Amino acid sequence: MLSSGVRLHWREAGDPSRPPLVWIHGGSVEDSSVMLPDVEPFLHRVRALLPDTRGHGRSQRFERPEDYGYGAKAADLLAWLDTLGVATALFGGASMGAALSLWLAAHHAERVRGVFSISGPPYAPPEEDRRWWAAHRPLVAAGRFEEYFDANVRLRMGDRALARLKARPERYAELMESMGRHSVASLLALLDETYSRPEWLDHCATIRCPVQIVAGERDHFPTVEMSRRLAATIPGARLHVVAGGPHFPNRSHRAEVQRVMDVFLSSLGL
């Protein structure tokens, strides 16, 4: 329980004597349980801290969209790190987690040592995504969370990825259990906030820490061109494009993304 009264769940791995890496999951149907494989090769080099941000995993749910903004999520993470005695950390993750890491670097520079951003969009969702949510919102409103989950995985990763997930029934059931902790109102609030975010690319121009951006060539949001604009906005940022990569290239092309991460960690002295 944070000093604010918010309940935040997290996982920890690696060497507690090493510098902290806060590794954050994507939004919507994600939580920290999907993130540990990304950092497993580096656990002798970092203290890996993997939070469930508010509204995800085992952390607290809310029923107003404004309670799911980046400012609220960032406040949770900073309060959590304060309780752990962590003054500064390397931040990163995928999708929402990557964007949240960039937001922290732009708004709380003193807490951020560097950012490893995989498909992190400081952009408003494209109109096609807003239309997709409008079409699928009735599923959530009717409590048909499993159908919404499947549609979301198809959108972000494709039919093959969904088939691979369903071939692991225990894992699929675990994710369904996580979604089932939502009320209809809390999941609607989470997703309404996701699909109504404004663009904040200009905030990223203030970032001064080292930043590595990873983009999937086939990602539709953010597109490679969007990631190029982001890299051009952040002074000194590096960009790596994963050929054939989707929205989560850290899963489809994990070894390649981990090689990029290895170089980035080494450049920071880790």
Coordinates of all heavy atoms in Angstrom, one line a residue, residues 85-161:
G85 N 13.5 3.0 -1.4 CA 14.8 3.7 -1.3 C 15.5 3.9 -2.6 O 16.7 4.0 -2.6
V86 N 14.8 3.9 -3.7 CA 15.4 4.0 -5.0 C 15.2 5.5 -5.5 O 14.1 5.9 -5.8 CB 14.7 3.1 -6.1 CG1 15.2 3.3 -7.5 CG2 15.0 1.6 -5.7
A87 N 16.3 6.2 -5.6 CA 16.3 7.6 -6.0 C 16.2 7.7 -7.5 O 15.5 8.6 -8.0 CB 17.5 8.3 -5.4
T88 N 17.0 6.9 -8.2 CA 17.0 7.0 -9.7 C 17.1 5.6 -10.2 O 17.6 4.7 -9.6 CB 18.3 7.8 -10.2 OG1 19.5 7.1 -9.8 CG2 18.3 9.2 -9.7
A89 N 16.5 5.4 -11.5 CA 16.5 4.1 -12.1 C 16.5 4.3 -13.6 O 16.2 5.3 -14.1 CB 15.2 3.4 -11.6
L90 N 16.9 3.2 -14.2 CA 16.7 3.0 -15.7 C 15.3 2.6 -15.9 O 14.8 1.6 -15.2 CB 17.7 2.0 -16.2 CG 17.6 1.6 -17.7 CD1 17.8 2.8 -18.6 CD2 18.5 0.5 -18.0
F91 N 14.5 3.2 -16.7 CA 13.1 2.9 -17.0 C 13.0 2.3 -18.4 O 13.7 2.7 -19.3 CB 12.2 4.1 -16.9 CG 12.0 4.5 -15.4 CD1 12.9 5.2 -14.7 CD2 10.8 4.2 -14.8 CE1 12.7 5.6 -13.4 CE2 10.5 4.5 -13.5 CZ 11.5 5.3 -12.8
G92 N 12.0 1.5 -18.6 CA 11.7 1.0 -20.0 C 10.6 0.1 -20.0 O 9.9 -0.2 -18.9
G93 N 10.3 -0.5 -21.1 CA 9.2 -1.4 -21.3 C 8.6 -1.3 -22.7 O 9.3 -0.9 -23.6
A94 N 7.4 -1.8 -22.8 CA 6.8 -1.9 -24.2 C 5.4 -1.2 -24.2 O 4.7 -1.2 -23.2 CB 6.6 -3.4 -24.5
S95 N 5.2 -0.6 -25.3 CA 3.9 0.1 -25.6 C 3.6 1.1 -24.5 O 4.4 2.1 -24.3 CB 2.8 -1.0 -25.7 OG 1.6 -0.5 -26.2
M96 N 2.5 1.0 -23.7 CA 2.2 1.9 -22.7 C 3.3 2.1 -21.7 O 3.7 3.2 -21.2 CB 0.9 1.5 -21.9 CG 0.4 2.5 -20.8 SD 1.3 2.3 -19.3 CE 0.8 0.7 -18.7
G97 N 4.0 1.0 -21.3 CA 5.1 1.1 -20.4 C 6.3 1.9 -20.9 O 6.9 2.6 -20.2
A98 N 6.5 1.7 -22.2 CA 7.6 2.5 -22.8 C 7.2 4.0 -22.9 O 8.0 4.9 -22.6 CB 7.8 2.0 -24.3
A99 N 5.9 4.3 -23.2 CA 5.5 5.7 -23.2 C 5.5 6.3 -21.8 O 5.9 7.5 -21.6 CB 4.1 5.8 -23.8
L100 N 5.1 5.5 -20.8 CA 5.2 6.0 -19.5 C 6.6 6.3 -19.0 O 6.9 7.3 -18.3 CB 4.5 5.0 -18.5 CG 4.5 5.3 -17.0 CD1 3.9 6.7 -16.7 CD2 3.8 4.2 -16.2
S101 N 7.5 5.5 -19.5 CA 9.0 5.7 -19.2 C 9.4 7.0 -19.8 O 10.1 7.8 -19.2 CB 9.8 4.6 -19.7 OG 9.5 3.4 -19.1
L102 N 9.0 7.3 -21.0 CA 9.3 8.6 -21.7 C 8.7 9.7 -20.9 O 9.3 10.8 -20.7 CB 8.9 8.6 -23.1 CG 9.6 7.6 -24.1 CD1 8.9 7.5 -25.4 CD2 11.0 8.1 -24.3
W103 N 7.4 9.6 -20.5 CA 6.7 10.6 -19.7 C 7.5 10.9 -18.5 O 7.7 12.1 -18.1 CB 5.3 10.2 -19.4 CG 4.4 11.3 -19.1 CD1 3.5 11.9 -19.9 CD2 4.2 11.9 -17.8 NE1 2.8 12.9 -19.2 CE2 3.2 12.9 -17.9 CE3 4.8 11.6 -16.5 CZ2 2.8 13.7 -16.8 CZ3 4.4 12.4 -15.5 CH2 3.4 13.4 -15.6
L104 N 7.9 9.9 -17.8 CA 8.7 10.1 -16.5 C 10.0 10.9 -16.8 O 10.4 11.8 -16.1 CB 9.0 8.8 -15.9 CG 7.9 8.2 -15.1 CD1 8.0 6.7 -14.9 CD2 7.8 8.8 -13.7
A105 N 10.7 10.5 -17.9 CA 11.9 11.2 -18.3 C 11.7 12.7 -18.6 O 12.6 13.5 -18.4 CB 12.6 10.5 -19.5
A106 N 10.5 13.0 -19.2 CA 10.2 14.4 -19.6 C 9.8 15.2 -18.4 O 10.0 16.4 -18.3 CB 9.1 14.4 -20.7
H107 N 9.1 14.5 -17.4 CA 8.5 15.3 -16.3 C 9.2 15.1 -15.0 O 9.0 15.9 -14.0 CB 7.0 14.9 -16.2 CG 6.2 15.3 -17.4 ND1 5.6 16.5 -17.5 CD2 5.9 14.6 -18.5 CE1 4.9 16.6 -18.6 NE2 5.2 15.5 -19.3
H108 N 10.0 14.1 -14.8 CA 10.7 13.8 -13.6 C 12.2 13.4 -13.9 O 12.6 12.3 -13.5 CB 10.0 12.7 -12.8 CG 8.6 13.1 -12.4 ND1 8.4 13.9 -11.3 CD2 7.4 12.8 -12.9 CE1 7.0 14.1 -11.2 NE2 6.5 13.5 -12.2
A109 N 12.9 14.3 -14.6 CA 14.2 13.9 -15.1 C 15.1 13.5 -14.1 O 16.0 12.6 -14.3 CB 14.8 15.1 -15.9
E110 N 15.0 14.0 -12.9 CA 15.9 13.7 -11.8 C 15.8 12.3 -11.3 O 16.7 11.8 -10.6 CB 15.7 14.7 -10.6 CG 14.5 14.4 -9.8 CD 13.2 14.9 -10.4 OE1 13.2 15.5 -11.5 OE2 12.1 14.6 -9.8
R111 N 14.8 11.6 -11.7 CA 14.6 10.2 -11.2 C 14.9 9.2 -12.3 O 14.9 8.0 -12.0 CB 13.1 10.0 -10.9 CG 12.5 10.9 -9.8 CD 13.2 10.8 -8.5 NE 13.1 9.5 -7.8 CZ 12.1 9.2 -7.0 NH1 11.2 10.1 -6.6 NH2 12.1 8.0 -6.4
V112 N 15.3 9.6 -13.5 CA 15.4 8.7 -14.7 C 16.8 8.7 -15.2 O 17.3 9.8 -15.7 CB 14.4 9.1 -15.8 CG1 14.5 8.1 -16.9 CG2 13.0 9.1 -15.2
R113 N 17.5 7.6 -15.1 CA 18.9 7.4 -15.6 C 18.9 7.2 -17.1 O 19.9 7.6 -17.8 CB 19.5 6.3 -14.9 CG 21.0 6.0 -15.2 CD 21.5 4.9 -14.4 NE 22.9 4.6 -14.7 CZ 23.7 3.7 -14.1 NH1 23.2 3.0 -13.1 NH2 24.9 3.5 -14.5
G114 N 17.9 6.6 -17.6 CA 17.9 6.3 -19.1 C 16.6 5.6 -19.4 O 15.8 5.2 -18.5
V115 N 16.2 5.5 -20.7 CA 15.0 4.9 -21.1 C 15.2 4.0 -22.3 O 15.9 4.4 -23.2 CB 13.9 6.0 -21.5 CG1 12.7 5.4 -22.2 CG2 13.5 6.9 -20.4
F116 N 14.6 2.8 -22.2 CA 14.6 1.8 -23.3 C 13.2 1.6 -23.7 O 12.4 1.0 -23.0 CB 15.2 0.5 -22.8 CG 15.6 -0.4 -23.9 CD1 16.8 -0.4 -24.5 CD2 14.6 -1.4 -24.4 CE1 17.2 -1.3 -25.6 CE2 15.0 -2.2 -25.5 CZ 16.2 -2.2 -26.0
S117 N 12.8 2.3 -24.8 CA 11.4 2.4 -25.2 C 11.1 1.5 -26.4 O 11.7 1.7 -27.5 CB 11.1 3.9 -25.6 OG 9.8 4.0 -26.2
I118 N 10.2 0.5 -26.2 CA 9.8 -0.4 -27.2 C 8.4 0.0 -27.6 O 7.4 -0.2 -26.8 CB 9.9 -1.9 -26.8 CG1 11.3 -2.2 -26.3 CG2 9.4 -2.8 -27.9 CD1 11.3 -3.6 -25.6
S119 N 8.2 0.5 -28.8 CA 6.9 0.8 -29.3 C 6.1 1.8 -28.4 O 4.9 1.6 -28.2 CB 6.0 -0.4 -29.6 OG 6.7 -1.4 -30.4
G120 N 6.8 2.8 -27.8 CA 6.2 3.7 -26.9 C 5.7 4.9 -27.7 O 6.5 5.7 -28.1
P121 N 4.4 5.2 -27.8 CA 3.9 6.3 -28.6 C 3.5 7.5 -27.7 O 2.5 7.5 -27.0 CB 2.6 5.7 -29.3 CG 2.1 4.7 -28.3 CD 3.3 4.2 -27.5
P122 N 4.2 8.6 -27.8 CA 3.7 9.9 -27.2 C 2.7 10.6 -28.2 O 2.8 11.8 -28.4 CB 5.0 10.7 -27.0 CG 5.8 10.3 -28.2 CD 5.5 8.8 -28.4
Y123 N 1.9 9.8 -28.8 CA 0.9 10.3 -29.8 C -0.5 10.0 -29.4 O -0.8 9.1 -28.7 CB 1.2 9.7 -31.2 CG 2.6 9.9 -31.7 CD1 3.6 9.0 -31.6 CD2 2.9 11.1 -32.4 CE1 4.9 9.2 -32.1 CE2 4.2 11.4 -32.9 CZ 5.2 10.4 -32.7 OH 6.4 10.6 -33.2
A124 N -1.4 10.8 -30.0 CA -2.8 10.4 -29.9 C -3.1 9.2 -30.7 O -2.5 9.0 -31.8 CB -3.7 11.6 -30.4
P125 N -4.0 8.3 -30.3 CA -4.3 7.1 -31.1 C -4.8 7.5 -32.5 O -5.6 8.5 -32.6 CB -5.4 6.4 -30.3 CG -5.2 6.9 -28.9 CD -4.7 8.3 -29.0
P126 N -4.4 6.8 -33.5 CA -5.0 7.1 -34.8 C -6.5 6.9 -34.9 O -7.0 6.2 -34.1 CB -4.2 6.2 -35.8 CG -3.7 5.1 -34.9 CD -3.5 5.7 -33.5
E127 N -7.1 7.5 -35.9 CA -8.5 7.5 -36.0 C -9.0 6.0 -36.2 O -10.0 5.6 -35.7 CB -9.0 8.3 -37.2 CG -10.5 8.4 -37.3 CD -11.2 8.9 -36.1 OE1 -10.7 9.8 -35.4 OE2 -12.3 8.4 -35.8
E128 N -8.2 5.2 -36.9 CA -8.6 3.8 -37.1 C -8.7 3.1 -35.8 O -9.5 2.2 -35.6 CB -7.7 3.1 -38.1 CG -6.3 3.0 -37.6 CD -5.4 2.3 -38.7 OE1 -5.6 1.1 -38.9 OE2 -4.5 3.0 -39.1
D129 N -7.8 3.4 -34.8 CA -7.8 2.7 -33.5 C -9.0 3.2 -32.7 O -9.6 2.4 -32.0 CB -6.5 3.0 -32.8 CG -5.4 2.1 -33.2 OD1 -5.5 1.5 -34.3 OD2 -4.4 2.0 -32.4
R130 N -9.3 4.5 -32.8 CA -10.5 5.0 -32.1 C -11.7 4.3 -32.6 O -12.7 4.0 -31.9 CB -10.6 6.5 -32.3 CG -9.4 7.3 -31.6 CD -9.6 8.8 -31.9 NE -8.5 9.6 -31.5 CZ -8.2 10.1 -30.3 NH1 -9.1 9.9 -29.3 NH2 -7.2 10.8 -30.1
R131 N -11.8 4.2 -33.9 CA -13.0 3.5 -34.5 C -13.0 2.0 -34.0 O -14.1 1.5 -33.8 CB -13.0 3.6 -36.0 CG -13.2 4.9 -36.6 CD -13.6 4.9 -38.1 NE -12.5 4.3 -38.9 CZ -11.5 5.1 -39.4 NH1 -11.5 6.4 -39.3 NH2 -10.6 4.5 -40.2
W132 N -11.9 1.4 -34.0 CA -11.8 0.0 -33.5 C -12.3 -0.1 -32.1 O -13.1 -1.0 -31.8 CB -10.4 -0.5 -33.6 CG -10.2 -1.9 -33.1 CD1 -10.2 -3.0 -34.0 CD2 -10.0 -2.4 -31.8 NE1 -10.1 -4.2 -33.2 CE2 -9.9 -3.8 -31.9 CE3 -9.9 -1.8 -30.6 CZ2 -9.8 -4.6 -30.8 CZ3 -9.7 -2.6 -29.4 CH2 -9.6 -4.0 -29.5
W133 N -11.9 0.8 -31.2 CA -12.4 0.8 -29.8 C -13.9 1.1 -29.8 O -14.7 0.4 -29.0 CB -11.7 1.8 -29.0 CG -12.3 2.1 -27.6 CD1 -12.6 3.3 -27.1 CD2 -12.6 1.1 -26.6 NE1 -13.1 3.1 -25.8 CE2 -13.2 1.8 -25.5 CE3 -12.5 -0.3 -26.6 CZ2 -13.6 1.2 -24.4 CZ3 -13.0 -0.9 -25.4 CH2 -13.5 -0.2 -24.3
A134 N -14.4 2.0 -30.6 CA -15.9 2.3 -30.6 C -16.6 1.0 -31.0 O -17.7 0.8 -30.5 CB -16.2 3.4 -31.6
A135 N -16.1 0.3 -31.9 CA -16.8 -1.0 -32.4 C -16.7 -2.1 -31.4 O -17.6 -2.9 -31.3 CB -16.1 -1.4 -33.7
H136 N -15.6 -2.1 -30.6 CA -15.4 -3.2 -29.6 C -15.8 -2.8 -28.2 O -15.9 -3.7 -27.3 CB -14.0 -3.7 -29.6 CG -13.6 -4.4 -30.9 ND1 -13.3 -3.8 -32.1 CD2 -13.6 -5.7 -31.1 CE1 -13.1 -4.7 -33.0 NE2 -13.2 -5.9 -32.5
R137 N -16.1 -1.5 -27.9 CA -16.5 -1.1 -26.6 C -17.7 -1.9 -26.1 O -17.8 -2.2 -24.9 CB -16.7 0.4 -26.6 CG -16.8 1.0 -25.2 CD -17.0 2.5 -25.3 NE -16.9 3.2 -24.0 CZ -17.8 3.3 -23.0 NH1 -19.0 2.7 -23.3 NH2 -17.6 3.9 -21.9
P138 N -18.7 -2.1 -26.9 CA -19.9 -2.9 -26.5 C -19.6 -4.2 -25.9 O -20.3 -4.7 -25.0 CB -20.8 -3.0 -27.7 CG -20.4 -1.8 -28.5 CD -18.9 -1.7 -28.3
L139 N -18.5 -4.9 -26.3 CA -18.1 -6.2 -25.7 C -17.8 -6.0 -24.2 O -18.2 -6.8 -23.4 CB -16.9 -6.7 -26.4 CG -17.1 -7.2 -27.9 CD1 -15.8 -7.7 -28.5 CD2 -18.1 -8.3 -27.9
V140 N -17.0 -4.9 -23.9 CA -16.6 -4.7 -22.5 C -17.8 -4.3 -21.7 O -18.0 -4.7 -20.6 CB -15.5 -3.6 -22.5 CG1 -15.1 -3.3 -21.0 CG2 -14.2 -4.1 -23.2
A141 N -18.6 -3.4 -22.3 CA -19.8 -2.9 -21.6 C -20.8 -4.1 -21.3 O -21.5 -4.0 -20.3 CB -20.6 -1.9 -22.5
A142 N -20.8 -5.1 -22.1 CA -21.6 -6.3 -21.8 C -20.9 -7.3 -20.9 O -21.5 -8.4 -20.7 CB -22.0 -6.9 -23.1
G143 N -19.7 -7.0 -20.5 CA -19.0 -8.0 -19.6 C -18.3 -9.1 -20.4 O -17.9 -10.1 -19.8
R144 N -18.2 -9.0 -21.7 CA -17.6 -10.0 -22.6 C -16.1 -9.8 -22.7 O -15.6 -9.5 -23.8 CB -18.4 -10.1 -23.9 CG -19.8 -10.5 -23.8 CD -20.7 -10.0 -24.9 NE -20.3 -10.6 -26.2 CZ -20.8 -10.2 -27.4 NH1 -21.8 -9.4 -27.4 NH2 -20.4 -10.8 -28.5
F145 N -15.4 -9.9 -21.6 CA -14.0 -9.5 -21.5 C -13.2 -10.4 -22.4 O -12.2 -10.0 -23.0 CB -13.5 -9.6 -20.1 CG -14.1 -8.5 -19.2 CD1 -15.0 -7.6 -19.6 CD2 -13.7 -8.4 -17.8 CE1 -15.5 -6.6 -18.8 CE2 -14.2 -7.5 -17.0 CZ -15.1 -6.5 -17.5
E146 N -13.5 -11.7 -22.4 CA -12.6 -12.7 -23.1 C -12.7 -12.4 -24.6 O -11.7 -12.4 -25.3 CB -13.1 -14.1 -22.9 CG -12.2 -15.1 -23.6 CD -12.6 -16.6 -23.2 OE1 -13.1 -16.8 -22.1 OE2 -12.3 -17.5 -24.0
E147 N -13.9 -12.0 -25.2 CA -14.0 -11.7 -26.6 C -13.2 -10.4 -26.9 O -12.5 -10.3 -27.9 CB -15.4 -11.5 -27.0 CG -16.2 -12.8 -27.0 CD -17.7 -12.5 -27.3 OE1 -18.0 -12.1 -28.4 OE2 -18.5 -12.7 -26.3
Y148 N -13.3 -9.5 -26.0 CA -12.5 -8.2 -26.1 C -11.0 -8.5 -26.1 O -10.2 -8.0 -27.0 CB -12.8 -7.2 -25.1 CG -11.8 -6.0 -25.2 CD1 -12.0 -5.1 -26.1 CD2 -10.7 -6.0 -24.3 CE1 -11.0 -4.1 -26.3 CE2 -9.7 -5.0 -24.5 CZ -9.9 -4.0 -25.5 OH -9.0 -3.0 -25.6
F149 N -10.6 -9.4 -25.2 CA -9.1 -9.7 -25.0 C -8.6 -10.3 -26.3 O -7.6 -9.9 -26.9 CB -8.9 -10.7 -23.9 CG -7.5 -11.2 -23.7 CD1 -6.6 -10.5 -22.9 CD2 -7.1 -12.3 -24.4 CE1 -5.3 -11.0 -22.8 CE2 -5.8 -12.8 -24.3 CZ -4.9 -12.1 -23.5
D150 N -9.4 -11.3 -26.9 CA -8.9 -11.9 -28.1 C -8.8 -10.9 -29.3 O -7.9 -11.0 -30.1 CB -9.9 -13.1 -28.5 CG -9.9 -14.2 -27.6 OD1 -9.0 -14.2 -26.6 OD2 -10.7 -15.2 -27.8
A151 N -9.8 -10.0 -29.4 CA -9.8 -9.0 -30.4 C -8.6 -8.1 -30.3 O -8.0 -7.7 -31.3 CB -11.1 -8.3 -30.4
N152 N -8.3 -7.8 -29.1 CA -7.1 -6.9 -28.8 C -5.8 -7.5 -29.2 O -4.9 -6.9 -29.8 CB -7.1 -6.5 -27.3 CG -6.0 -5.4 -27.1 OD1 -6.2 -4.3 -27.4 ND2 -5.0 -5.9 -26.4
V153 N -5.6 -8.8 -28.9 CA -4.4 -9.5 -29.2 C -4.3 -9.6 -30.8 O -3.2 -9.4 -31.3 CB -4.4 -10.9 -28.6 CG1 -3.2 -11.7 -29.1 CG2 -4.3 -10.8 -27.1
R154 N -5.4 -9.9 -31.4 CA -5.4 -9.9 -32.9 C -5.0 -8.6 -33.5 O -4.2 -8.5 -34.4 CB -6.8 -10.3 -33.4 CG -7.2 -11.7 -33.2 CD -8.5 -12.0 -34.1 NE -9.1 -13.3 -33.7 CZ -10.1 -13.4 -32.8 NH1 -10.6 -12.3 -32.3 NH2 -10.6 -14.5 -32.5
L155 N -5.5 -7.5 -32.9 CA -5.1 -6.2 -33.4 C -3.7 -5.9 -33.3 O -3.0 -5.4 -34.2 CB -6.0 -5.1 -32.6 CG -5.6 -3.6 -32.9 CD1 -6.0 -3.3 -34.3 CD2 -6.2 -2.7 -31.9
R156 N -3.1 -6.2 -32.1 CA -1.7 -5.8 -31.8 C -0.7 -6.8 -32.3 O 0.4 -6.4 -32.7 CB -1.5 -5.7 -30.3 CG -2.5 -4.7 -29.6 CD -2.3 -3.3 -30.1 NE -3.2 -2.4 -29.6 CZ -3.4 -1.1 -30.0 NH1 -2.7 -0.7 -31.0 NH2 -4.3 -0.4 -29.5
M157 N -1.0 -8.1 -32.3 CA 0.0 -9.1 -32.6 C -0.4 -10.1 -33.7 O 0.4 -10.8 -34.3 CB 0.3 -9.9 -31.4 CG 1.0 -9.1 -30.3 SD 2.7 -8.7 -30.7 CE 3.5 -10.3 -30.6
G158 N -1.7 -10.1 -34.1 CA -2.1 -11.0 -35.2 C -2.7 -12.3 -34.7 O -2.6 -12.7 -33.6
D159 N -3.4 -13.0 -35.7 CA -4.0 -14.3 -35.4 C -3.1 -15.4 -34.9 O -3.4 -16.2 -34.0 CB -4.8 -14.8 -36.6 CG -6.1 -14.0 -36.9 OD1 -6.8 -13.6 -35.9 OD2 -6.3 -13.7 -38.1
R160 N -1.9 -15.4 -35.5 CA -0.9 -16.4 -35.1 C -0.5 -16.3 -33.6 O -0.4 -17.3 -32.9 CB 0.3 -16.4 -36.0 CG 0.0 -16.8 -37.4 CD 1.3 -16.8 -38.2 NE 1.1 -17.3 -39.6 CZ 2.1 -17.3 -40.5 NH1 3.3 -17.0 -40.2 NH2 1.8 -17.7 -41.7
A161 N -0.3 -15.1 -33.2 CA 0.1 -14.8 -31.8 C -1.1 -15.3 -30.9 O -0.8 -15.9 -29.8 CB 0.4 -13.4 -31.6

